[in-house]
Structure formats: structure tokens, C-alpha cells
Amino acid sequence: MEGSEPNRAADGRTVNKEDVLRDFQASFFAMSGLASFPWTQEAAGCDPLDALYDALAEVVGAGYPTECFKSYLLPGGEAISLLESVALVSDGTTGLLTWEAALHLAEWALDHRHPFTGRTVLELGSGAGLTGIAICRSCSPSRYVFSDCHPRVLRKLRDNVRLNGLTGPEVGVEEMDWTTATDEQIARIGADTVIAADVVYDPDVVESLVALLSRILRVSSPEVFICSTVRNQETYGGFKRRLGKGAELPARPSTDPMCSSLVRRSRNRPPGGARSRRPDVPLQPRV
């Protein structure tokens, strides 16, 4: 087979074209940086392409982008496309990319559509928008309100909502600072269901979150679903203690073993890493 004929590299190693192509494909599907690809045309017995090297030098010299588009596949075959940050923290916020808990909450919502169908849904800390867009696409809420407080997150969130074709009065994006949100704003939204994903990560944030949830429940009495990645047991335990002591939140047991009516725990994995998912809900990120 011609593709398997060995060639000798400059350092004396014996290689063949199939090995080089396989290494190149592995780097591509692992989404490695271009500079780390096995650029070894000479080792494969090929003449160097000046145009290819010129293009590579241009790409590497330009540096890596700060944003990229990711697509998440819904069970029906549709895709959600989001423009997300490459870095975990940008402009002092972690809200510019999709985190693990958002994936889990979206999966759970697609399996449990009754809390969302025909209802007004308020999402706290919407971030890049994956969970809300999945619910809008698949669960038919009568109205959906995305919310966040960071200016850049809000701009990116609005862009992602428009990018996925969600327009009209039934979908809105609002600024909601948990420390300054008014009863008038809460009453105007009139949520039947409130959700949030990956918002239990800092003791100070937990305190303002629980206070806001308490006010929301007094004003409109919705169902509340929160999906949390447990990174720090002390912080997560503090959240649960505050729910029981000061928030007056009705922690009702659920028949679903994967999610309580108030808090759902997900495994602590980095974005894009291996995770335990239900195979019938293929929310897979594609860059």
C-alpha cells in the first residue's frame, strides 16, 4: 500500500504517511492549537508547500482568538450555536461561556417539560444562554426572561438569543442585579418557574442569591429549580443551610432521583471534559 511506505525524517526516524495523517487528525479533533500540530511534510516524503507554511505563519503570528462559536445538538437534531469566550474568566466574569451545570439543567428540562410548557420562566444568571435557548426551542414556554448583570455578558447573551432566532415579546433579556432587583421588576416578570445553573460558587454570591429567591417567592410564588456543580462542599453546604434558615424556601422532595425541586447537583468537571450524561439527550458541544 503506497500510503504505508516508510520514509526517513531529518533526524533519522522512520515514519510513513499514514502515521503523519493520523497524528494530524488526532490534533484536529482534539481542537489543539495550530502551532502544536505535527507539521512534518518532509517526514512524510512530501515536498514542502510554501503557501501552506506562509498560511501557517500568518495564523500562528495572529495569536489565538478570544471567542469561538460552539454548537450544542438537541435530541431532535437541531443545534444551538453560541458565541463563547475561550478563556474561563474574561472581563472579570465567568459568564461568557457554558458551564457544566447549564448542560445538566438543559438536559433535565428536556426530560421534564411540564414546569416550563405554557409558563413564564425567569432564568437567573443566564450567562451564554444555553439552558434558556434549549428550553425555548423544546419546551414551549409562554414567555421566557433571560437575566444577568454583567454588561458584557448581557450584550453577548442578547447576541446569542438573536443568533438562535428567538425574537418577539415572548422572549426577553433583562438586567437583574441580585442585590438591587426591585419587587416591581419581580412582579412585572411574574414568573411561574425560576431556574438557575452554576450560581452557587461563592459565599457572597450565595447570600445575595438566597435573599433574592426569598423575595421572588414572596412576590410571585413560582417553582424554583437550581442546578449546581459542587466545587466546594463548604460553599454548597452554606447554601443549603441558608435555604433552611433564612430564605423561607419550600424544599419539596422530588420523585426524580437526578434533581430535587430546588437543588440539583452535578459532577465537578471542566467545560468540555468527560461527564456522565443521559445518552438519550445528546447535548454535545461542537466547536
Side-chain angles (χ1 to χ4, degrees):
M1 180 177 177
E2 183 179 353
S4 298
E5 293 177 359
N7 295 276
R8 192 165 298 279
D11 61 2
R13 292 180 297 108
T14 300
V15 296
N16 61 57
K17 294 180 182 179
E18 281 194 352
D19 290 337
V20 173
L21 289 174
R22 188 179 301 110
D23 291 343
F24 199 96
Q25 289 173 334
S27 297
F28 176 80
F29 286 114
M31 295 182 289
S32 302
L34 285 175
S36 66
F37 275 45
W39 299 97
T40 53
Q41 283 185 316
E42 295 91 341
C46 304
D47 293 330
L49 295 177
D50 291 338
L52 176 60
Y53 281 127
D54 289 343
L56 173 62
E58 182 178 347
V59 171
V60 173
Y64 291 107
T66 59
E67 297 178 326
C68 68
F69 283 97
K70 292 184 180 180
S71 294
Y72 300 84
L73 303 181
L74 295 174
E78 295 181 280
I80 295 173
S81 293
L82 303 177
L83 183 58
E84 301 187 14
S85 171
V86 174
L88 297 182
V89 181
S90 301
D91 285 352
T93 179
T94 58
L96 293 169
L97 72 163
T98 299
W99 291 88
E100 178 77 2
L103 288 165
H104 280 268
L105 183 55
E107 291 176 350
W108 182 85
L110 297 184
D111 275 349
H112 304 80
R113 305 186 184 198
H114 59 278
F116 311 103
T117 302
R119 294 186 173 190
T120 295
V121 181
L122 168 63
E123 182 180 4
L124 304 176
S126 299
L130 172 67
T131 302
I133 294 171
I135 290 174
C136 288
R137 286 274 194 88
S138 301
C139 300
S140 303
S142 61
R143 183 169 175 246
Y144 196 98
V145 179
F146 298 83
S147 73
D148 217 294
C149 67
H150 192 282
R152 187 179 171 192
V153 173
L154 285 167
R155 289 195 299 271
K156 192 63 61 183
L157 178 58
R158 291 188 177 100
D159 290 343
N160 282 334
V161 169
R162 285 194 295 267
L163 176 66
N164 287 275
L166 300 178
T167 59
E170 67 277 4
V171 177
V173 178
E174 293 202 13
E175 179 180 358
M176 180 174 281
D177 187 318
W178 298 350
T179 62
T180 61
T182 64
D183 288 350
E184 290 75 17
Q185 182 182 20
I186 295 170
R188 175 174 50 79
I189 294 173
D192 304 302
T193 302
V194 175
I195 66 170
D198 219 331
V199 293
V200 182
Y201 56 87
D202 180 88
D204 293 335
V205 171
V206 164
E207 185 173 353
S208 58
L209 171 63
V210 171
L212 176 62
L213 290 175
S214 179
R215 293 172 54 207
I216 290 174
L217 284 167
R218 286 198 299 267
V219 172
S220 57
S221 300
E223 288 188 280
V224 179
F225 300 85
I226 297 179
C227 183
S228 296
T229 299
V230 182
R231 298 181 179 86
N232 184 294
Q233 287 289 350
E234 184 176 348
T235 300
Y236 184 72
F239 173 58
K240 293 194 293 183
R241 287 192 298 273
R242 286 187 175 277
L243 291 181
K245 291 181 180 180
E248 301 176 5
L249 300 182
R252 300 189 301 270
S254 171
T255 56
D256 187 331
M258 295 185 64
C259 182
S260 75
S261 62
L262 186 62
V263 180
R264 180 184 173 195
R265 301 175 63 179
S266 63
R267 289 173 173 79
N268 182 13
R269 304 280 189 182
R275 60 187 186 274
S276 176
R277 297 187 308 103
R278 302 183 71 170
D280 56 334
V281 188
L283 275 172
Q284 295 278 12
R286 299 284 189 269
V287 177

